[in-house]
Amino acid sequence: NHPLGTNLTYLEIGTSSNQNFNSIPIINKTGVDPEMGGNVRSTSDDFFKSQNKKFDLIFIDGLHTYEQVKKDFINSLAVIKDGGVIVLDDMIPRNWKEQQTPRVQSKWTGDVWKLLFDLNKLDGINYKIILIDNGQCVIFPKGIKLTDQFLLNETKMKTFDYFYNNLKELPTIELKEGLMWIKDSLNSQ
């Protein structure tokens, strides 16, 4: 028995080549991308405006800018099922070029790392950044309350130096420990 149930629903924002989307072994899945992949051709903003379906798992891998990933995260909070999970992709850039916005090279995480420093300003958040594939931030949003401090966007103007100098403050975890934490978090919901 899966802690989330048997009839799971999956939402992926930003499907591109369908590499992740096709590998998810869930029948009831929605992939949103304005250009390619998935099964819904739309921007995430337009998709969320018309969305009333709820999801068990949401993977956010769309436009890799701080502003857009923050909007996608906030919009996901409205459509995540109680006990669901949100995953944010590419949260740990390895160097300033990977995070530079606008993009300066093909490998690009964007400045989505800035959202990590906002997450600490939320009430009731349970999350970790698993140190795989440029950092996967796994969030158990049950009980999250948006705060005025979170909505201020104070990290928007931060530079890569800020990220580099404050990385140790973030709740990072290696894969093996991360999988145990996910299992424990799912079982305690």
Side-chain angles (χ1 to χ4, degrees):
N1 284 347
H2 194 282
L4 295 177
T6 55
N7 191 20
L8 298 176
T9 53
Y10 174 72
L11 170 62
E12 184 171 322
I13 300 298
T15 52
S16 187
S17 65
N18 277 341
Q19 184 176 355
N20 290 324
F21 189 71
N22 288 343
S23 69
I24 300 297
I26 294 175
I27 295 170
N28 190 357
K29 57 185 175 178
T30 303
V32 178
D33 196 292
E35 295 178 8
M36 62 195 316
N39 51 17
V40 175
R41 195 67 56 237
S42 173
T43 66
S44 57
D45 291 343
D46 288 343
F47 172 77
F48 282 119
K49 283 178 192 168
S50 63
Q51 191 52 238
N52 57 13
K53 183 178 178 181
K54 299 277 187 170
F55 299 91
D56 295 292
L57 175 60
I58 300 175
F59 183 63
I60 301 175
D61 188 19
L63 182 60
H64 280 38
T65 65
Y66 166 69
E67 293 88 351
Q68 189 61 52
V69 76
K70 190 164 187 173
K71 281 197 292 186
D72 289 343
F73 172 70
I74 291 169
N75 286 329
S76 292
L77 291 175
V79 299
I80 193 76
K81 287 183 182 177
D82 191 29
V85 180
I86 297 173
V87 179
L88 305 170
D89 188 44
D90 288 335
M91 302 305 285
I92 305 289
R94 293 174 296 184
N95 57 58
W96 74 269
K97 285 183 180 178
E98 282 187 357
Q99 65 88 49
Q100 183 61 37
T101 304
R103 186 179 205 157
V104 296
Q105 65 178 27
S106 59
K107 176 68 176 151
W108 188 53
T109 62
D111 62 354
V112 298
W113 62 264
K114 294 175 181 179
L115 181 59
L116 295 175
F117 293 96
D118 287 349
L119 292 179
N120 290 329
K121 300 170 186 170
L122 291 169
D123 288 340
I125 188 160
N126 178 18
Y127 77 105
K128 302 273 188 211
I129 303 112
I130 300 176
L131 297 173
I132 56 168
D133 190 33
N134 282 97
Q136 303 295 304
C137 182
V138 179
I139 302 165
F140 291 89
K142 185 178 182 178
I144 283 183
K145 305 258 186 313
L146 295 180
T147 62
D148 291 340
Q149 192 71 17
F150 173 81
L151 297 171
L152 282 177
N153 297 333
E154 291 176 327
T155 58
K156 181 178 180 177
M157 301 309 293
K158 302 288 185 191
T159 64
F160 183 72
D161 287 344
Y162 180 85
F163 169 78
Y164 183 79
N165 292 327
N166 293 283
L167 177 61
K168 63 188 171 298
E169 293 177 20
L170 298 173
T172 59
I173 192 168
E174 295 294 333
L175 178 60
K176 186 176 179 181
E177 293 171 281
L179 292 174
M180 291 187 322
W181 170 78
I182 289 170
K183 183 179 178 185
D184 292 344
S185 296
L186 285 171
N187 288 331
S188 67
Q189 290 198 53

